[in-house]
Amino acid sequence: MLVNRRLILAHFWLAFAVFGIALTLGAWQMFIRSPIGTWLSNPELYYRSLTAHGTVMGYVFPTLVAMGFGYAISESALEQRLVGVRWAWTGFWLIVIGSVMAVIPVALGRASVLYTFYPPLIGNVFYYLGVVLVVVGSWIWVALMAVNLRVWRKAHPGAPVPLAMFANVAGSYLWAWTAVGAALELLLQITPVAAGLKATIDAGLARVFFSWTLHAIVYFWLMPTYIAYYTIVPRAIGGRVYSDSMARISFILFLVVAMPIGMHHTFADPMVGAGFKFIHSAFTALVALPTLLTVFTICASVEIAARLRGGRGMFGWIRALPWDNPMMLALAFSFVMLGFGGAGGLINMSYQLDASIHNTQWITGHFHLIFGGAIVIMYFAIAYDLWPHLTGRELIDLRLIRTQLWLWFLGMIVTTFPWHWVGILGMPRRMAYFDFGDPAIAPQALSVTFSAIGGFILLTSGILFLVILARGMRAPQADAGPYRFALAVHQPATVPIALNTHALWVALMIALTLTNYGYPILTLAMTEGTSVPAVYVGAQ
Amino acid sequence: MSARDLFTFSNPHFTRGVGITAAILIVTAIVGFIVLPFAQPWVQFANVWDAICSAAGVPQRAANVTAPEQVKRLSEVVLTSNTLSRPSQEAIGRGATLAQRCAICHGPTGISRADSPNLAGQYAAVIYKELHDFRSGARTNAVMSPFAVNLTDQEIADLSLYYAYLPRLPAYHPTPQLPKPNIVIYGAPMRGIAPCGSCHGSLDNKTGSPWLEGQSEAYMKAQLQAFASGERRNDISQQMRNIARALTPQEIEQAAAYYASQPPDVVKAVD
């Protein structure tokens, strides 16, 4: 039962509106530093745009999607009205205010520090405060998810928590803890410098704090996508979840091992010991496990649907799948991109292999393929699936939806594959300008041109997405019925307490954070003389 | 179901979950802190503890190596964007009196007729840094050094504030404005040269970089050549030397001629 539809719709609309703006900036960035654009004489404009693109795509857009989807899950999976609606609106407005507060200094060129902050670069203090407000707003959501589950548990003692809600709350806890790293960096280190109270900053420590957030945040972005894999896709294509327990174990594994791995982002940094880098590398390898489990379970779930539809043979069943169903299409595209992106990720997390692609365009290609591709295409799918239930109107034009998904998939491949390639050739990331007339990089011009064209395909797809949703608001009214999630082949009657609660796994997550981050953070914080003068962006 | 049922060794999920996690942690720690350090034949460790400390990144004092003696003095001035950011009227007044002895070269209104830099309206931090460098010997000049050597910190600050306070007047020898050369607005990215304008105004200004509009062409050219030859070395981290060395003689001339032809009123105000 979806009662607070306005709340959920507000989250989704805001998410997709800012997504549209950031997507446009992204396409412009691709164009302006490609051989088909003329060199923008002011690199600062490029970094301004890059900061806005990253801040929106990294913090605002996925957080709003996770929140809106989370509220929808809470109401429909638990079948109870959302507790704390006023708080939910407070969280929403905090995000609105935070986003506006952050984007103004960025637009004025006073905070071109990129969304990863990069101290000792220091921007305007309101940029950071804006980001903090966005995070605080999302923490309200975390608390509400926990409270709603608690209320439900009281009413249903001992009953298995519906999978969608179990996963949703796991995602919210992961976010609550992973955001602490960046919050500490912002509040203890950056804001005092940005406010003029200090003039130096320990950039090494800041990078370690940020790595605490930066990797697990990806799994927070990923959560809605995985929830959709398990609880929406099988239902939408007429199948069942192959294993409810396997799904729970996957989400639990994300909770435990997504956190203590972020230092693979600092392989090239001198301030962390090689032993810790190795541990983080090894734990990063473990994150592949829940993804492999998921791919197995979802393929099995999809096979069930295909066989129910009369599919036969070892691979013959694949043809029997409902390929005209947008959800099926989105899943397939998502898996292909997850496969390529995941394989690239294994290279990034390997201490030695990373050296050849560190800080190259490979990395940009990698996270666009995983996040922009595998994850965001499922955000589209979630929106398409939820929209009729939120608006009470039908999304009629399935052909247009399929076109949109195809364009996104193709656009992402055309954008990111050449990006990976030029990365291997050594093209650095975060550059505003490349002189393709130089013989040293002239051979990369063609790849970069393709990449830029991919950017425009993505932009087209993004616009189409917004058009479809907007038209969906004006379509004829139709009752979509209650919103349901996929059932498992063996729907659990009871679930062991460890698979029905989060406490053990949250405890392990925190314990591993302490073992894997405690010592490096403490030594850096206590070592004298590790700070460097701040470099104020836009200061005269 | 309560926390007591969950966090107990009789709960197999608890035992296995914690056990497997701890086992993975211990194995990776042994590999990362003991096996791998010793697997590097080119690094010698005294004992296992030494290897562990090295892998953990325990800060260690560098071996007692005496730093090579600096033949030439380097700049020791620390600038932040807040340096001299709050001028007082008294300081400006004192600076005006002191500036009388500068007028012979830098002009009574801070506009030079002798190919010395125009100081009227220059950023305070710039004058502050250069005077300190002349005083310490990090920058030397036959005419300027004797003037600077006896200045006190207070006098340097006062002079900097006074000149920053003066209005930027049009240069004494304006020439028809030239088109912007590439080196000024684009730099040369493939040679690692940022656009001049990204530090010296027009695009952006970085603390400690002077604005250059309307300065003497001969002076700017001489300074770029001095940076390129290493004769002038008071730029922090060699930022100007690295750029000047990579510039072609033609680019030096273009940049100097271009900036000399610009009116100073296009310079961004300090905020």
Side-chain angles (χ1 to χ4, degrees), chain A residues 54-55 58-60 62-63 115-117 131-132 134-135 138-139 171 173-187 189-190 204-222 254 257-266 280 509 513 516-517 521:
Chain A
T55 306
Y59 300 132
V60 185
T63 308
Y115 90 108
T116 35
F117 307 144
V131 173
V132 169
V134 170
V135 173
S138 70
W139 278 346
Y173 288 157
L174 179 64
W175 171 238
W177 183 241
T178 193
V180 168
L184 288 173
E185 181 195 3
L186 284 173
L187 297 176
Q189 293 196 277
I190 293 183
L205 178 60
R207 289 178 68 86
V208 172
F209 273 138
F210 198 76
S211 80
W212 166 329
T213 294
L214 188 54
H215 205 73
I217 198 175
V218 179
Y219 295 99
F220 164 62
W221 299 339
L222 200 81
F254 273 127
V257 292
M259 217 4 262
I261 64 175
M263 275 185 201
H264 68 254
H265 290 246
T266 61
H280 281 247
M509 168 177 83
T513 310
N516 290 11
Y517 271 104
I521 288 178

Side-chain angles (χ1 to χ4, degrees), chain A residues 324-408:
Chain A
D324 53 347
N325 184 329
M327 196 55 77
M328 187 63 230
L329 210 54
L331 174 76
F333 291 153
S334 181
F335 267 23
V336 171
M337 293 190 278
L338 189 68
F340 282 112
L346 292 177
I347 291 170
N348 302 344
M349 58 126 251
S350 309
Y351 203 173
Q352 287 82 357
L353 291 176
D354 172 74
S356 57
I357 44 93
H358 197 89
N359 262 347
T360 67
Q361 298 279 25
W362 166 285
I363 303 295
T364 339
H366 166 74
F367 65 72
H368 278 84
L369 186 53
I370 285 273
F371 176 46
I375 296 177
V376 169
I377 205 164
M378 290 309 290
Y379 288 1
F380 297 154
I382 291 168
Y384 288 144
D385 197 58
L386 265 175
W387 224 246
H389 298 270
L390 295 174
T391 58
R393 295 158 198 272
E394 203 177 355
L395 287 180
I396 309 160
D397 202 343
L398 290 188
R399 181 195 288 268
L400 202 59
I401 292 178
R402 285 195 295 267
T403 311
Q404 190 267 326
L405 294 172
W406 266 107
L407 280 178
W408 191 262

Side-chain angles (χ1 to χ4, degrees), chain A residues 197-271:
Chain A
L197 305 174
K198 273 178 71 185
T200 60
I201 186 163
D202 186 342
L205 178 60
R207 289 178 68 86
V208 172
F209 273 138
F210 198 76
S211 80
W212 166 329
T213 294
L214 188 54
H215 205 73
I217 198 175
V218 179
Y219 295 99
F220 164 62
W221 299 339
L222 200 81
M223 281 295 179
T225 294
Y226 272 51
I227 296 173
Y229 286 166
Y230 279 108
T231 66
I232 297 182
V233 173
R235 186 258 295 144
I237 62 169
R240 287 197 160 216
V241 182
Y242 176 67
S243 164
D244 181 83
S245 312
M246 196 88 103
R248 285 171 198 264
I249 290 171
S250 298
F251 286 108
I252 283 167
L253 279 174
F254 273 127
L255 203 50
V256 177
V257 292
M259 217 4 262
I261 64 175
M263 275 185 201
H264 68 254
H265 290 246
T266 61
F267 278 162
D269 288 22
M271 72 280 171

Side-chain angles (χ1 to χ4, degrees), chain B residues 51-96:
Chain B
I52 292 174
C53 289
S54 161
V58 178
Q60 290 170 334
R61 294 222 165 274
N64 266 337
V65 182
T66 43
E69 228 172 276
Q70 287 295 342
V71 188
K72 304 221 172 169
R73 292 192 70 91
L74 298 176
S75 178
E76 287 167 356
V77 183
V78 176
L79 291 177
T80 71
S81 37
N82 295 327
T83 306
L84 304 180
S85 59
R86 292 192 183 80
S88 71
Q89 292 301 315
E90 290 78 11
I92 293 170
R94 288 193 301 270

Side-chain angles (χ1 to χ4, degrees), chain A residues 458-483:
Chain A
L458 289 173
L459 181 60
T460 313
S461 173
I463 293 169
L464 210 52
F465 172 66
L466 293 175
V467 168
I468 293 168
L469 292 192
R471 280 174 57 181
M473 305 294 288
R474 288 185 287 122
Q477 292 200 339
D479 183 19
Y483 192 69

Side-chain angles (χ1 to χ4, degrees), chain A residues 62 89 135 148 202 217 294 325 330 427 530:
Chain A
W89 279 110
V135 173
N148 277 278
D202 186 342
I217 198 175
T294 301
N325 184 329
M427 181 179 269
T530 49

Side-chain angles (χ1 to χ4, degrees), chain A residues 39 273-275 433 498 519 536 539-540, chain B residues 13 28 55 58 81 185-186 189 205 271:
Chain A
W39 159 230
Y433 174 68
Y519 180 78
Y536 291 93
Q540 298 286 321
Chain B
H13 287 102
T28 51
V58 178
S81 37
I185 48 167
Y186 300 152
N205 179 264
D271 42 16

